[in-house]
Amino acid sequence: MSVTIHLIAAARPNFMKVAPLYHALKATDWAEPVLVHTGQHYDRNMSDAIFEDLRIPAPDFHLGVGSGSHAEQTGNVMIAYEKICLEHRPDWIVVVGDVNSTAACAMVGAKLWIPVIHLEAGLRSGDRSMPEEINRLVTDAIADVLWTPSKDADENLAAEGVSSDKIDLIGNIMIDSFVMLKDKIEASNAREELGLTSGEYALVTLHRPSNVDSHDSLQPIVDALAKASNSLPVVFVAHPRTIKNLAAFGLKDSFEQSPGVTLLEPLPYVQFMSIVTGARMVITDSGGLQEETTYLDIPCLTLRENTERPVTVTQGTNKLVRADTLAENIAQALAGDWPKGVCPPLWDGQTAQRAVKCLLTREHDRS
Ligand code: UD1
């Protein structure tokens, strides 16, 4: 038996979810994983360098869609991926996460009657002003199989009327990537190279349009970080759109000149995770970092009004914070006044193995 499975990778947070599944499928004698990169992220450190760190080969298909408006990006992925599917019809398509390419490829598969699996299904922020929430709703509504990371995701799907036989609770696959590369991350000298001392700096990442796309939202955050840098060095590993906007809003020069601030371009996975693991706290609007900090028991200050990953708040080390009280929250975390977390069930590095087992069962049921 040879079962062809397209794994769709598009943007940075997808790669850590696709890699463990690629390796686990490749190790079987029945599955042929095929990597499809839509090209949504294309800068070296947003894409190729992460592939290398995660030990996955160059994609079998690269759609090269690049950036654009939401409609352009989604449409261009659909047009390009439909051609691939018509020529090289897979047995299954696995889409991951909640980016535009996730929903686009799910729609292509559904319309060509190719079974679609959504990995990281069922997450809901309840906030439809975020493009990711629309992508999650669309993808989960049309996927044939829903692989969920935690019980709350199963409950969300049940509340939307999804039949339980479509759902497999498999756990958090991103943690598999961390476990796979833990030794390399621990051996990395990324912190030393930046002159950082473990436990004595804050790591910052921000890229959500609601935080970084207007001067009025970005300035108070930058001010609070500059203030905090007087008591704790601040390492800001910034997404390309954030760097561009800091410059466009005239905030970049003064921020970079704040004595405790280091502003960096995106980093590959191992270097970045080395900096995460040594951080005293993480300030972010990323989805993945909310989870990684819960797993690592590091205080996480999430600059968002809501989260689709509530277990990181109820069980983990995450708190939702606002720009106008960020400085106080940083002081609070620095004083140790922060929730201690427990690691949610099935965030154990074995998620890809469970996914492969579930897929084999479903393949048998299908044929
Ligand atoms: C996308 C996802 C978001 C995810 C994030 C992780 C959607 C709707 N958004 O947001 O959910 O959290 O990835 O990073 O799918 N750019 C570059 N180089 C790149 C990629 C992007 O410079 O390699 C710049 C371009 O100016 C581009 C902008 O970043 O227009 C936004 O990129 P895009 O892929 O549209 O969204 P992200 O903000 O990266």
Side-chain angles (χ1 to χ4, degrees), residues 11-13 40-43 46 67-68 70 73 98-101 131-132 135 207-209 239-241 244:
R12 181 171 57 179
Q40 182 171 342
H41 282 177
Y42 43 82
D43 285 354
M46 299 284 282
S67 302
H70 286 274
Q73 203 171 48
D98 54 18
V99 302
N100 287 342
S101 304
E132 292 81 3
N135 293 336
H207 71 284
R208 299 277 165 207
H239 186 288
R241 76 186 298 146
K244 210 161 61 182

Side-chain angles (χ1 to χ4, degrees), residues 6-224:
H6 279 188
L7 304 179
I8 310 296
R12 181 171 57 179
N14 296 161
F15 308 143
M16 305 72 162
K17 297 166 193 166
V18 160
L21 187 55
Y22 176 85
H23 293 301
L25 288 170
K26 198 77 188 161
T28 70
D29 59 3
W30 57 270
E32 191 46 58
V34 172
L35 280 171
V36 180
H37 193 325
T38 68
Q40 182 171 342
H41 282 177
Y42 43 82
D43 285 354
R44 185 172 155 73
N45 279 0
M46 299 284 282
S47 177
D48 296 7
I50 303 180
F51 267 60
E52 288 160 22
D53 272 1
L54 295 166
R55 301 178 190 141
I56 42 177
D60 298 277
F61 298 105
H62 200 298
L63 310 184
V65 297
S67 302
S69 72
H70 286 274
E72 281 166 342
Q73 203 171 48
T74 308
N76 287 338
V77 171
M78 286 188 74
I79 293 165
Y81 186 51
E82 186 184 54
K83 290 191 181 124
I84 303 284
C85 284
L86 289 172
E87 213 180 313
H88 309 272
R89 190 181 178 92
D91 297 301
W92 294 88
I93 297 169
V94 179
V95 296
V96 305
D98 54 18
V99 302
N100 287 342
S101 304
T102 309
C105 292
M107 280 194 275
V108 169
K111 291 189 176 190
L112 291 176
W113 295 13
I114 301 167
V116 173
I117 300 177
H118 185 203
L119 171 49
E120 200 186 74
L123 299 185
R124 297 287 182 271
S125 65
D127 176 1
R128 292 196 182 192
S129 69
M130 285 180 72
E132 292 81 3
E133 184 75 351
I134 305 299
N135 293 336
R136 291 181 203 114
L137 286 162
V138 167
T139 306
D140 286 345
I142 59 177
D144 299 276
V145 178
L146 300 154
W147 281 346
T148 54
S150 47
K151 219 167 129 258
D152 58 296
D154 292 29
E155 288 161 5
N156 291 334
L157 293 170
E160 288 170 16
V162 176
S163 154
S164 62
D165 56 10
K166 287 172 90 176
I167 305 171
D168 298 322
L169 172 56
I170 60 164
N172 189 326
I173 199 153
M174 199 180 48
I175 303 302
D176 287 28
S177 277
F178 181 80
V179 171
M180 175 177 88
L181 290 170
K182 193 162 184 266
D183 293 347
K184 241 182 136 189
I185 291 166
E186 277 170 4
S188 161
N189 55 4
R191 295 195 291 261
E192 290 74 13
E193 277 174 10
L194 290 167
L196 299 170
T197 309
S198 267
E200 291 183 21
Y201 61 91
L203 168 67
V204 181
T205 81
L206 295 170
H207 71 284
R208 299 277 165 207
S210 59
N211 283 327
V212 306
D213 278 6
S214 81
H215 179 273
D216 288 355
S217 56
L218 193 50
Q219 181 171 27
I221 300 175
V222 165
D223 288 348

Side-chain angles (χ1 to χ4, degrees), residues 202-206 218-236 246 255 258 260-261 283-284 303 323 326-327 330:
L203 168 67
V204 181
T205 81
L206 295 170
L218 193 50
Q219 181 171 27
I221 300 175
V222 165
D223 288 348
L225 295 174
K227 188 175 161 202
S229 74
N230 290 318
S231 41
L232 185 69
V234 167
V235 184
F236 192 155
L246 280 168
F255 182 55
S258 310
V261 168
I283 301 158
T284 192
L303 269 161
L326 179 60
I330 293 172

